[in-house]
């Protein structure tokens, strides 16, 4: 399989989950955010959340940066054409996302 096709399928597949769509919308609105903030906002176990974040990062939607003991996730600063279009659509979806509350002391 060609690399471009593989990347497209990975990106498209990452979007086939409402939780990941909501995470993208939340991070797009409030990011960069640390895992502890996302855990608190989504009331999700760290292991399950990390799996979703890994999929979104490998698909090219997110970047991560370690700051001390915390890892922060943000929307990729240079998204591809597909990623940009998907993020624009996600912004317009009527999905409820939690309000942002700062919980980390980084």
């Amino acid at each position: 399989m060609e690399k471009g096709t593989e990347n497209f399928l990975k990106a498209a597949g990452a979007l086939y989950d409402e939780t990941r769509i909501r995470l993208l919308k939340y991070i797009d609105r409030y990011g960069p955010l640390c895992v502890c903030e996302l855990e608190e906002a989504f009331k999700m176990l760290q292991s399950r959340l990390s799996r979703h974040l890994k999929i979104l990062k490998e698909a090219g939607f997110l970047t991560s940066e370690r700051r001390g003991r915390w890892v922060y996730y943000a929307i990729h600063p240079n998204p591809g054409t597909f990623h940009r279009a998907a993020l624009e659509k996600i912004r317009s979806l009527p999905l409820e996302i939690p309000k942002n509350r700062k919980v980390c002391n980084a």
Side-chain angles (χ1 to χ4, degrees), residues 59-78:
F61 285 100
L62 300 178
T63 61
S64 64
E65 176 188 356
R66 182 167 289 284
R67 298 181 196 167
R69 63 182 239 194
W70 305 110
V71 176
Y72 283 75
Y73 286 87
I75 298 297
H76 197 290
N78 300 308

Side-chain angles (χ1 to χ4, degrees), residues 12-23 48 52 56:
L15 297 176
Y16 194 67
D17 184 280
E18 185 178 336
T19 299
R20 289 193 287 271
I21 300 288
R22 291 176 68 231
L23 281 166
R48 186 166 171 244
H52 285 301
L56 291 169

Side-chain angles (χ1 to χ4, degrees), residues 10-46:
K10 193 176 278 190
L15 297 176
Y16 194 67
D17 184 280
E18 185 178 336
T19 299
R20 289 193 287 271
I21 300 288
R22 291 176 68 231
L23 281 166
L24 282 173
K25 187 168 185 165
Y26 189 80
I27 294 168
D28 184 47
R29 181 172 294 162
Y30 299 116
L33 297 159
C34 76
V35 173
C36 62
E37 291 168 320
L38 294 167
E39 269 183 280
E40 175 67 24
F42 284 86
K43 306 294 185 217
M44 193 179 297
L45 292 174
Q46 191 271 333

Side-chain angles (χ1 to χ4, degrees), residues 47-99:
S47 58
R48 186 166 171 244
L49 176 63
S50 290
R51 174 89 175 117
H52 285 301
L53 294 170
K54 179 182 180 204
I55 290 168
L56 291 169
K57 184 179 176 187
E58 287 178 352
F61 285 100
L62 300 178
T63 61
S64 64
E65 176 188 356
R66 182 167 289 284
R67 298 181 196 167
R69 63 182 239 194
W70 305 110
V71 176
Y72 283 75
Y73 286 87
I75 298 297
H76 197 290
N78 300 308
T81 304
F82 175 80
H83 296 80
R84 267 193 309 279
L87 288 166
E88 282 298 317
K89 181 62 180 172
I90 289 167
R91 287 178 190 123
S92 72
L93 292 174
L95 291 172
E96 284 195 31
I97 58 171
K99 293 200 183 315

